[in-house]
Amino acid sequence: MRPFSIKTKLGALVVVSVFITTGLLMIAVRTRTELRFITVFSIIATLLITQFVAHSLTAQLDDMSTVARSISHGDYTRRVSGADRRDELGDLATTINRMADDLEAQDQHRKELVANVSHELRTPIAALRAVLENVVDGVSAADPETMRTALKQTERLGRLVETLLDLSRLDNGVVPLKARRFEVWPYLSGVLKEAQLSGAAAAQRQGMPSGSGRHTRTDVHLHLDVSPPELTAHADAERLHQVVANLIDNAVKHSPPHGRVTVRARRGEGPESLDLEVMDEGPGIPESEWHRVFERFNRGSASTPHGPGSDGGTGLGLAIARWAVDLHGGRIGVAESTRGCRIQVTLPGIP
């Protein structure tokens, strides 16, 4: 039993009351005091001690009730005092304060998310509206070039909505994992080839960048390093594709002209587990920003964060990569590197 628990205090209250009553009875026997006076004194002393103990307990509960009521009304700034108590009420106060901290952080995150989504949606919608207004007013002709510009903004809007839906499904836990065993080399080779074709197709389009969040670089070399060549892994291929594709896209955007992006795969510690690394030769990420790179709508704080041919994207790619890795029960993070940025991904394999 804890020395300062409520049970201990109540037990001590009973013991003290018994001692007081016994002591007064002994005094009454020795001094031949009438029993009714001793009884009255015993009752008064017991009530005073009980009132003192009850007040110390109920005052804390009243404070908790007030704070809980404020939290239920959306006020997450209130905190319960007495979290330093060494009893059950102190533990409860700490739990309520921690819950309030979490709710306040979630509320702030929700407000930031709404503001960021509104900002991201406003850009392609405003650009698309401007193009269509020019066509309707006769300022611009509905030629292929103008329609291509409108199409690119529509693609950007569609991709943003798609990524937001992905994050919503991941948050709500409605995206089941369909893990299977596969060979790593041909799988990653296909992902790299798709990334190259996507970048080349985007670069061939004339006019303004697509704004889809994907790179338009064709000068960056993609290199695949898998060892051993017959390496196999157990994971959801579709979700892993999201991880690798977004990491490659981010690395290519930050690469210098004619840079090199390396995707390295090794066997992990567990059966069918996988260790992945995506490395680039760009400016790298300051260590102070490592904990923020996977936040939604985060684009980093570097003055020149993107390489040529990049529109900066939406800041959702790495957030999706983190959630896909979390679904597998794996880990993703920025690792130390002598040059550029190195992101490590660890998938646990067969549970």
Side-chain angles (χ1 to χ4, degrees), residues 76 99-110 112:
Y76 306 121
M99 178 188 67
D101 291 337
D102 294 340
L103 290 175
E104 185 178 17
Q106 289 293 331
D107 184 63
Q108 181 65 26
H109 176 73
R110 178 184 59 81
E112 293 177 355

Side-chain angles (χ1 to χ4, degrees), residues 173-196:
V174 298
V175 180
L177 280 180
K178 300 179 181 178
R180 62 177 178 83
R181 182 176 179 269
F182 61 92
E183 295 184 4
V184 176
W185 175 273
Y187 174 80
L188 291 180
S189 179
V191 177
L192 265 67
K193 184 176 182 180
E194 180 180 323
Q196 289 176 324

Side-chain angles (χ1 to χ4, degrees), residues 206-325:
Q206 299 178 357
M208 62 183 297
S210 65
S212 62
R214 296 298 180 186
H215 70 87
T216 58
R217 306 283 301 277
T218 58
D219 60 321
V220 178
H221 175 65
L222 302 182
H223 176 68
L224 179 59
D225 178 12
V226 179
S227 181
E230 66 276 8
L231 178 64
T232 60
H234 186 269
D236 187 320
E238 182 179 354
R239 297 303 158 199
L240 182 58
H241 185 284
Q242 287 182 302
V243 176
V244 180
N246 280 303
L247 293 182
I248 292 176
D249 180 69
N250 186 71
V252 170
K253 287 178 181 178
H254 291 76
S255 294
H258 307 288
R260 177 188 180 108
V261 172
T262 302
V263 179
R264 179 180 298 167
R266 296 291 187 269
R267 181 176 287 112
E269 297 180 356
E272 302 294 338
S273 60
L274 182 64
D275 289 342
L276 279 174
E277 290 185 353
V278 178
M279 299 169 286
D280 62 56
E281 299 175 343
I285 302 175
E287 189 171 353
S288 59
E289 296 288 326
W290 284 7
H291 67 288
R292 298 186 62 247
V293 296
F294 298 101
E295 293 180 359
R296 300 174 187 183
F297 297 99
N298 177 63
R299 295 187 178 90
S301 58
S303 57
T304 56
H306 308 302
S310 168
D311 63 354
T314 62
L316 291 173
L318 292 182
I320 291 178
R322 182 192 63 182
W323 281 105
V325 172

